[in-house]
């Protein structure tokens, strides 16, 4: 309040000074100030409007299956035999066939890498304004066509439209916004200190594009999993070869046409982005075919295979693997807010999230109250076709066989003492009309159950009771995964203390998943959740080679040269000269430095007093 009053007094003093200097009245000066602010606002608005109009618009005509919620298509059975040269595509919510994508051979993948390599040689010299132009073209298209983008994602992966907006569109737009606003800042050459002995040098780090980035991405977010590595890789000056999952390849038809149109509109090389479809052969060829860095997002088991294959060519790898995130609720947390957040953490995208909430640790004092609140909500969640006539809360399981795997974990937990309070019923895809598993709630989950150890990746909320902070930290860390985490407490300090002791790459305080909405932050985990990061400043710079550069700061005044005692053949005072330099520059205190300087001067002024000749003369 005092600061505000001081600011008002200062402003009035300026106005009074203006009155004295110009002869204007106080009212007139205030009117001029308001007019100036309005004028500046109009200039900013006009600049923004012109800037928006200058962003090229691209058009991508959708097919009937991409443009319509209800389609007429035959049913597909995942067990029917399929030609190994094609990837069958179908809607997991309706089991309607969507066509085929090619299962690319290793030779085809290597050809695409070579094409990307040639394009990267051009794009690495592109300016940051051109890179921003490309991203803004994509952003404009996303905002203008989000309905189609979400429909295509929902049809390919089974997710509800709202989950597509949140998990596909919002995070992608946020990433593009951050890259356009701050990305250049972190890729510009960065000045570094040159050290005390090299005080006359200028040191910096230059971030040089690695060349061709290879990415292998999963099926749970077909749009974002493509645009996430694409936007970062291209903004860093690289080309991208991306292998999508065989369980979500159909959507690359629409998304691929969008990328092609954006590249053309931005004046970028047409081969800058290559989309690869296929199976293990294509994935292995991507890793071993000559890319400069690999980003793998998927299961821990496949991640180990990727790392083993990359080792043959010493290709650096970013591994973002499985997760089993802890969701901790203390006794003084705001339970009303926690309930809804917990449902999102467990059932967003039908639980098919690497950083989804899987283990819900609820304090003993509110344990029963928490269950009492969530049980009816979970039982009333609506599940079905996200493109059907009625709204749904949960969609389908994208990968065939995943519902059966999740059900096996639920059955094992119940057999070992867990209480099944909602869901837990398995129906075949034929019976259910799609690959569905109901939102499920397990209470009294504890160590010894398979679900305690294994990643579920499905719509199951496993609730665990605890009573002391040290206990919940120990329980949460009793896991081979360490991706994300959330802590809810009435005291933010207490929540931070608990979070600081969790073995995880990310922690949200009194919220869930917000670290990913802050695109300046790195994304990744520890332990079996992988290593390195693919987002944020660290992820962006990780797509470059950090090149150290050092040069003379004032070459006209001071240049590097070898001191005379060290010139070949080295002189008899060379070692003494080195000792004096070390003492002068690094001695702990003024007396050391003065002693070193004196010794240095002695070396230069009386070089003959060192060496064998000096010793024999002294004798």
């Amino acid at each position: 309040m005092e600061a505000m009053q001081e600011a008002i007094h200062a402003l009035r003093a300026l106005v009074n000074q203006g009155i004295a200097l110009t002869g204007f009245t106080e009212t007139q000066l205030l009117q001029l100030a308001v007019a100036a602010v309005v004028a500046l606002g109009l200039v900013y608005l006009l600049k923004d409007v012109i800037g928006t109009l200058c962003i090229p618009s691209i058009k991508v005509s959708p097919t009937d299956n991409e443009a319509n919620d209800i389609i007429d298509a035959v049913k597909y059975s995942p067990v029917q035999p399929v030609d190994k040269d094609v990837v069958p595509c179908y809607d997991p919510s309706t089991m309607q066939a969507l066509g085929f994508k090619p299962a690319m051979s290793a030779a085809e993948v290597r050809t695409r890498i070579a094409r990307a390599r040639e394009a990267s040689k051009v794009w690495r010299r592109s300016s940051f304004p051109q890179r921003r132009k490309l991203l803004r073209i994509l952003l404009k298209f996303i905002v203008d066509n989000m309905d189609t983008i979400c429909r295509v994602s929902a049809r390919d992966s089974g997710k509800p439209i709202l989950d597509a907006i949140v998990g596909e569109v919002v995070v992608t737009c946020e990433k593009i916004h951050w890259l356009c606003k701050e990305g250049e800042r972190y890729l510009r050459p960065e000045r570094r200190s040159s050290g005390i002995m090299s005080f006359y040098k200028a040191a910096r780090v230059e971030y040089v594009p690695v060349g061709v980035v290879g990415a292998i991405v999963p099926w749970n977010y077909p749009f974002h999993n493509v645009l996430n590595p694409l936007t970062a890789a291209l903004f860093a000056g690289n080309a991208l070869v991306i292998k999508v999952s065989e369980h979500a390849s159909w959507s690359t038809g629409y998304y691929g046409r969008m990328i092609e149109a954006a590249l053309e509109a931005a004046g970028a090389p047409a081969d800058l982005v290559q989309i690869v479809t296929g199976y293990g052969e294509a994935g292995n060829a991507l890793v071993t075919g000559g890319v400069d860095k690999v980003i793998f997002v998927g299961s821990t088991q496949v991640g180990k295979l990727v790392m083993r294959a990359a080792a043959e060519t010493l290709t650096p790898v970013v591994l973002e693997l499985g997760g089993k995130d802890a969701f901790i609720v203390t006794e003084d947390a705001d339970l009303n807010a926690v309930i809804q957040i917990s449902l999102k953490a467990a059932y967003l995208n039908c639980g098919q999230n690497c950083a989804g909430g899987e283990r819900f640790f609820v304090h003993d004092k509110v344990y029963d109250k928490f269950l009492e609140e969530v049980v009816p909500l979970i039982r009333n969640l609506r599940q079905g076709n996200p493109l059907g006539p009625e709204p749904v809360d949960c969609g389908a399981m994208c990968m065939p066989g995943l519902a059966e795997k999740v059900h096996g974990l639920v059955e094992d937990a119940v057999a070992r003492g867990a209480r099944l309070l909602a869901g837990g019923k398995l129906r075949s895809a034929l019976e259910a009309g799609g690959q569905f598993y109901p939102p499920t709630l397990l209470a009294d989950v504890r160590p010894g159950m398979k679900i305690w150890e294994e990643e579920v990746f499905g719509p199951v909320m496993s609730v665990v009771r605890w009573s002391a902070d040290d206990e919940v930290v120990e329980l949460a860390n009793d896991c081979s995964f360490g991706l994300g985490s959330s802590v809810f407490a009435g005291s933010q300090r207490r929540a931070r203390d608990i979070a600081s002791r969790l073995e995880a790459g990310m922690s949200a305080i009194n919220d869930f998943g917000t670290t990913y909405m802050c695109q300046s932050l790195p994304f990744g985990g520890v332990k079996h959740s992988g290593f390195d990061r693919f987002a944020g400043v660290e992820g962006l710079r990780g797509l470059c080679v950090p090149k150290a550069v050092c040069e003379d700061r004032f070459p006209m005044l001071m240049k590097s040269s070898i001191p005379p005692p060290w010139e070949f053949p080295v002189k008899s005072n060379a070692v003494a000269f080195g000792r004096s330099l070390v003492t002068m520059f690094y001695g702990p205190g003024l007396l050391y430095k003065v002693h070193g300087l004196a010794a240095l001067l002695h070396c230069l002024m009386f070089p003959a007093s060192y060496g064998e000749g000096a010793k024999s003369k002294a004798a």
Side-chain angles (χ1 to χ4, degrees):
M1 198 63 187
E2 292 179 0
M4 184 179 295
Q5 290 175 348
E6 290 178 4
I8 293 173
H9 289 320
L11 179 62
R12 187 168 294 278
L14 289 173
V15 171
N16 290 334
Q17 187 178 11
I19 294 171
L21 293 175
T22 65
F24 288 119
T25 66
E26 181 176 346
T27 301
Q28 289 172 326
L29 282 176
L30 288 174
Q31 289 173 341
L32 286 173
V34 170
V37 171
V38 171
L40 287 173
L42 290 174
V43 169
Y44 177 82
L45 180 61
L46 182 61
K47 181 181 177 182
D48 181 74
V49 170
I50 293 174
T52 302
L53 293 175
C54 289
I55 300 174
S57 296
I58 57 175
K59 293 187 179 297
V60 178
S61 299
T63 64
D64 288 342
N65 286 353
E66 295 163 349
N68 299 306
D69 288 344
I70 306 300
I71 63 174
D72 183 17
V74 299
K75 296 288 185 178
Y76 170 78
S77 172
V79 298
Q80 69 187 51
V82 176
D83 187 336
K84 65 177 183 178
D85 295 327
V86 297
V87 177
C89 304
Y90 63 96
D91 183 341
S93 297
T94 63
M95 305 307 294
Q96 289 176 303
L98 301 174
F100 299 91
K101 289 291 179 181
M104 296 181 185
S105 66
E108 171 66 14
V109 175
R110 287 192 289 269
T111 298
R112 288 175 174 265
I113 293 173
R115 287 161 56 184
R117 174 77 58 198
E118 292 304 309
S120 73
K121 295 175 183 178
V122 176
W123 187 249
R124 70 187 295 119
R125 297 192 298 271
S126 62
S127 65
F128 283 111
Q130 185 181 14
R131 298 175 193 179
R132 273 192 293 271
K133 179 181 179 181
L134 171 59
L135 296 193
R136 286 169 176 158
I137 290 170
L138 286 169
L139 182 60
K140 185 177 182 180
F141 179 85
I142 293 169
V143 173
D144 290 341
N145 298 273
M146 71 177 78
D147 288 345
T148 305
I149 290 170
C150 291
R151 181 185 303 109
V152 170
S153 171
R155 176 146 289 144
D156 208 13
S157 65
K159 63 170 52 66
I161 295 298
L162 177 59
D163 290 4
I165 291 175
V166 174
E168 305 271 26
V169 171
V170 172
V171 290
T172 301
C173 291
E174 184 64 35
K175 176 135 193 167
I176 294 175
H177 172 77
W178 178 76
L179 285 170
C180 289
K181 185 177 181 181
E182 300 184 37
E184 180 180 353
R185 167 187 170 189
Y186 295 108
L187 293 180
R188 284 289 185 191
E190 183 181 74
R191 294 177 60 183
R192 298 286 179 89
S193 63
S194 54
I196 186 171
M197 189 176 288
S198 299
F199 64 92
Y200 58 94
K201 292 288 187 180
R204 66 180 179 274
V205 176
E206 296 179 354
Y207 294 96
V208 181
V210 296
V212 179
V213 176
I216 300 176
V217 298
W219 38 263
N220 53 343
Y221 289 97
F223 181 70
H224 181 66
N225 287 343
V226 170
L227 269 289
N228 181 39
L230 182 150
T231 51
L234 269 55
F235 192 82
N238 301 292
L240 176 72
V241 182
I242 184 165
K243 195 265 179 195
V244 297
S245 170
E246 59 268 33
H247 303 299
S249 298
W250 171 77
S251 54
T252 60
Y254 182 72
Y255 302 151
R257 298 196 303 277
M258 172 197 72
I259 294 166
E260 291 172 1
L263 291 174
E264 181 179 4
D271 289 332
L272 194 61
V273 177
Q274 301 289 327
I275 297 177
V276 172
T277 54
Y279 301 105
E281 179 185 0
N284 181 267
L286 177 59
V287 175
T288 60
V291 297
D292 300 293
K293 188 162 191 175
V294 172
I295 300 172
F296 174 78
V297 183
S299 70
T300 301
Q301 293 78 6
V302 178
K304 292 178 180 179
L305 298 176
V306 169
M307 189 174 177
R308 187 176 296 119
E312 293 297 321
T313 52
L314 291 180
T315 303
V317 180
V318 178
L319 295 181
E320 196 282 284
L321 308 177
K324 200 165 182 63
D325 291 6
F327 187 105
I328 297 173
V329 183
T330 66
E331 74 280 7
D332 60 347
D334 181 356
L335 206 58
N336 289 331
V338 167
I339 294 298
Q340 281 296 328
I341 296 174
S342 70
L343 295 177
K344 283 294 182 185
Y347 304 118
L348 179 71
N349 201 29
C350 211
Q352 299 166 114
N353 306 293
C354 55
E358 288 217 358
R359 298 173 299 150
F360 292 77
F361 298 93
V362 181
H363 194 278
D364 179 68
K365 291 183 178 179
V366 293
Y367 187 85
D368 293 333
K369 178 66 174 175
F370 177 85
L371 293 177
E372 179 184 331
E373 294 286 339
V374 298
V375 166
L377 292 173
I378 295 171
R379 289 176 177 173
N380 288 323
L381 290 178
R382 300 159 298 181
Q383 188 172 37
N385 177 14
L387 300 179
E390 300 296 330
V392 299
D393 302 300
C394 286
M397 308 296 285
C398 183
M399 192 171 73
L402 184 55
E404 288 75 11
K405 181 253 186 184
V406 171
H407 187 61
L409 294 175
V410 171
E411 286 189 314
D412 174 81
V414 172
R416 295 174 186 268
R419 289 184 291 149
L420 178 63
L421 301 182
K425 308 296 183 184
L426 177 66
R427 295 188 298 166
S428 68
L430 181 63
E431 178 188 4
Q435 295 173 173
F436 296 106
Y437 193 77
T440 298
L441 173 62
L442 289 173
D444 305 341
V445 173
R446 60 177 182 269
M449 301 174 179
K450 288 183 180 180
I451 204 166
W452 185 272
E453 302 288 342
E454 299 182 24
E455 183 182 25
V456 180
F457 220 72
V460 180
M461 179 186 287
S462 299
V463 187
V464 184
R465 187 191 301 264
W466 63 278
S467 57
D469 289 6
D470 289 343
E471 177 192 9
V472 75
V473 169
E474 184 177 353
L475 288 170
N477 289 337
D478 181 26
C479 181
S480 59
F481 298 100
L483 191 53
S485 59
S486 299
V487 183
F488 296 80
S491 164
Q492 194 153 320
R493 176 180 294 181
R494 180 185 179 191
R496 284 199 302 264
D497 176 68
I498 293 174
S500 69
R501 292 188 283 160
L502 298 179
E503 296 169 353
M506 302 170 287
S507 290
I509 306 299
N510 284 324
D511 212 333
F512 165 77
T514 48
T515 53
Y516 199 52
M517 276 302 296
C518 303
Q519 279 293 322
S520 65
L521 294 177
F523 186 96
V526 298
K527 300 193 282 190
H528 284 191
S529 289
F531 51 79
D532 210 338
R533 301 295 184 262
F534 70 63
V537 177
E538 292 77 8
L540 183 62
R541 286 180 168 177
L543 296 169
C544 299
V545 176
K547 185 176 182 179
V549 179
C550 187
E551 60 184 339
D552 291 323
R553 191 183 302 273
F554 307 109
M556 300 300 293
L557 300 176
M558 184 180 293
K559 292 183 179 181
S560 294
S561 62
I562 303 298
W566 290 354
E567 292 179 349
F568 288 113
V570 295
K571 310 304 183 287
S572 58
N573 62 342
V575 174
F577 183 82
R579 285 199 300 263
S580 64
L581 278 176
V582 171
T583 304
M584 184 181 72
F585 279 109
Y586 305 111
L590 183 60
L591 291 178
Y592 275 89
K593 298 181 187 301
V594 171
H595 175 71
L597 176 61
L600 184 71
L601 293 174
H602 188 273
C603 283
L604 295 174
M605 296 173 66
F606 306 103
S609 62
Y610 300 87
E612 293 298 326
K615 291 179 181 179
S616 61
K617 185 180 290 188

